Amino acid sequence: MLNFYYLYGMESDGRHSGMQDGVARFLDYLKAEKRYSPLTVEAYRRDLAEFSAYVQETFGDESWAEADRLRLRSYVAWLAERRMAPYSIRRKVSALRSFFRHEMKAGRLKSNPALRLPLPKAGKRLVFFVEEGGMAQLTREEAVGASGQPLAPASPSGHPETAIKANVTGRKPKRKSPFETYRDYLILELFYGTGMRSAELLSLQDRKVDARQAVLTVLGKRNKERQIPLHASLCEAIAVYRRLRTEEVGALAGETFFMTLSGQPLSRSYVYRLVHTCLRKYTTIEKCSPHVLRHTFATHLLNEGADLNAVQMLLGHSSLASTQIYTHNTIEKLKKAYAEAHPKA
């Protein structure tokens, strides 16, 4: 069993403080110099902590200098035995490779044992997305409620003042205020209408949402800002949401855009449960996370003929290769159209 204390960042008996100090220095470097987001830094911490705990329990190591190629191969085999996906294994080894590179530059290690390490082939990543018909049904029905009728008088723009009745906790749902129900509806619309990440939505500031100019500014990975255009119906929905928020919460401009009725920022778990519950109603796909709506945004744009480079900029990808995973779905659609229409297909 892996060292529980080290794996979860808690205090242990102090025997392996050298390994912990190395990780702490590296994480400080990622935050201060690389400007990685808190979520990315936490992912590196977990990966390094898992490997450290493994070599401690398996080999009794007390320093990073003992982490040679043999130990890394043993670790990769252990991950494979746990039926971890090849892509996840490669990501974990990539984190170790970056750490060892940093230690070499600092003169604390002489070599990088993670270089040219045999790894399982990753294969093609499966991209889960909602079909256009499913998204149209989801946003329409969640906007008017389960009865198919508005739950409250509609705004002048045609948007209902209340929306989702989803039970996001698995318990008997409490009655939500107009602000809360419309907020949850707008969360779904913004995910699908902008392709932003969950962390970007949660950290979105009110002053960064400019409905008049039809654009919002998000803080993405590595603290890079990017602007995303807003379509007309989203701008109208934002205006309705802000009015309800002012009436029920009294929030001032400049604060977090999405918040609870008490004025606190929403939690990551709440947004996940909200999206998961709603997607389960209208799709049969395996994954029902907020990231699925990001995949759906990109896939639908490409299916409608959007330029790949433009989609890359909208998603905030640093590499075009990251965006190209969505072209697989588009090509499959073209193949299907070709097979159905061509006389000799």
Side-chain angles (χ1 to χ4, degrees), residues 2 29 49 70 84 86 90 102 105 131 151 173 229 245 249 265 294 329 345:
L2 294 183
Y29 160 75
L70 175 64
M84 182 167 287
R90 297 176 74 92
H102 175 261
K105 287 182 179 179
E131 296 288 350
L151 299 177
R245 188 186 60 187
V249 185
R294 178 173 164 86
N329 301 309

Side-chain angles (χ1 to χ4, degrees), residues 93-105:
V93 173
S94 177
L96 288 167
R97 190 181 296 121
S98 298
F99 171 77
F100 289 129
R101 186 188 306 120
H102 175 261
E103 291 296 282
M104 284 181 63
K105 287 182 179 179

Side-chain angles (χ1 to χ4, degrees), residues 44-81:
Y44 272 95
R45 190 201 67 78
R46 286 197 306 268
D47 289 341
L48 294 172
E50 182 183 66
F51 175 76
S52 301
Y54 173 78
V55 294
Q56 289 170 17
E57 297 294 332
T58 307
F59 301 100
D61 290 355
E62 297 186 19
S63 73
W64 284 102
E66 298 174 275
D68 57 14
R69 191 178 179 85
L70 175 64
R71 283 160 169 72
L72 264 76
R73 294 188 65 155
S74 174
Y75 175 62
V76 169
W78 177 73
L79 293 175
E81 288 174 359

Side-chain angles (χ1 to χ4, degrees), residues 63-312:
S63 73
W64 284 102
E66 298 174 275
D68 57 14
R69 191 178 179 85
L70 175 64
R71 283 160 169 72
L72 264 76
R73 294 188 65 155
S74 174
Y75 175 62
V76 169
W78 177 73
L79 293 175
E81 288 174 359
R82 295 173 59 204
R83 299 184 182 279
M84 182 167 287
Y87 180 82
S88 298
I89 294 176
R90 297 176 74 92
R91 179 185 58 78
K92 289 177 179 292
V93 173
S94 177
L96 288 167
R97 190 181 296 121
S98 298
F99 171 77
F100 289 129
R101 186 188 306 120
H102 175 261
E103 291 296 282
M104 284 181 63
K105 287 182 179 179
R108 288 184 286 268
L109 289 179
K110 295 181 179 180
S111 62
N112 189 336
L115 289 178
R116 294 181 292 277
L117 188 71
L119 297 173
K121 292 184 178 180
K124 291 184 178 180
R125 292 181 62 186
L126 292 177
V127 176
F128 295 94
F129 68 98
V130 184
E131 296 288 350
E132 291 184 35
M135 279 307 306
Q137 182 186 15
L138 186 155
T139 54
R140 179 176 62 252
E141 294 192 16
E142 292 300 332
V144 300
S147 66
Q149 298 295 326
L151 299 177
S155 68
S157 65
H159 287 276
E161 296 292 330
T162 57
I164 296 169
K165 290 178 66 179
N167 177 5
V168 298
T169 63
R171 300 185 296 271
K172 183 178 180 180
K174 68 175 184 178
R175 186 175 182 82
K176 293 184 179 180
S177 71
F179 159 73
E180 290 174 304
T181 51
Y182 201 85
R183 175 202 63 199
D184 291 354
Y185 162 70
L186 183 57
I187 286 173
L188 292 174
E189 287 282 16
L190 269 184
F191 271 136
Y192 177 53
T194 65
M196 66 171 64
R197 302 176 177 93
S198 183
E200 293 169 347
L201 180 136
L202 289 168
S203 64
L204 185 64
Q205 297 296 299
D206 190 80
R207 60 187 174 84
K208 296 291 186 178
V209 182
D210 190 344
R212 291 185 179 181
Q213 297 296 322
V215 67
L216 59 79
T217 305
V218 299
L219 188 64
K221 289 186 175 181
R222 303 185 185 182
N223 290 325
K224 292 182 179 179
E225 282 194 341
R226 74 179 186 282
Q227 290 189 320
I228 307 175
L230 300 169
H231 55 72
S233 61
L234 258 182
C235 291
E236 294 172 359
I238 287 169
V240 174
Y241 166 76
R242 277 177 164 154
R243 177 170 61 79
L244 291 170
R245 188 186 60 187
T246 300
E247 293 173 357
E248 297 192 37
V249 185
L252 299 175
E255 297 180 355
T256 303
F257 183 71
F258 286 115
M259 55 182 59
T260 66
L261 195 58
S262 62
Q264 298 300 311
L266 289 177
S267 68
R268 186 180 182 89
S269 60
Y270 178 86
V271 172
Y272 177 87
R273 291 195 304 268
L274 168 69
V275 175
H276 179 83
T277 301
C278 292
L279 288 181
R280 287 290 295 272
K281 291 181 182 180
Y282 306 101
T283 72
T284 57
I285 58 178
E286 294 181 31
K287 290 190 176 181
C288 294
S289 68
H291 217 69
V292 168
L293 294 178
R294 178 173 164 86
H295 293 327
T296 302
F297 166 81
T299 301
H300 290 181
L301 282 177
L302 290 170
N303 283 346
E304 295 299 324
D307 179 71
L308 189 63
N309 290 288
V311 176
Q312 176 192 0

Side-chain angles (χ1 to χ4, degrees), residues 23-39:
V23 172
R25 285 193 300 265
F26 179 64
L27 298 182
D28 287 341
Y29 160 75
L30 295 182
K31 287 183 283 188
E33 297 190 35
K34 301 294 286 184
R35 299 182 64 198
Y36 283 1
S37 71
L39 288 176

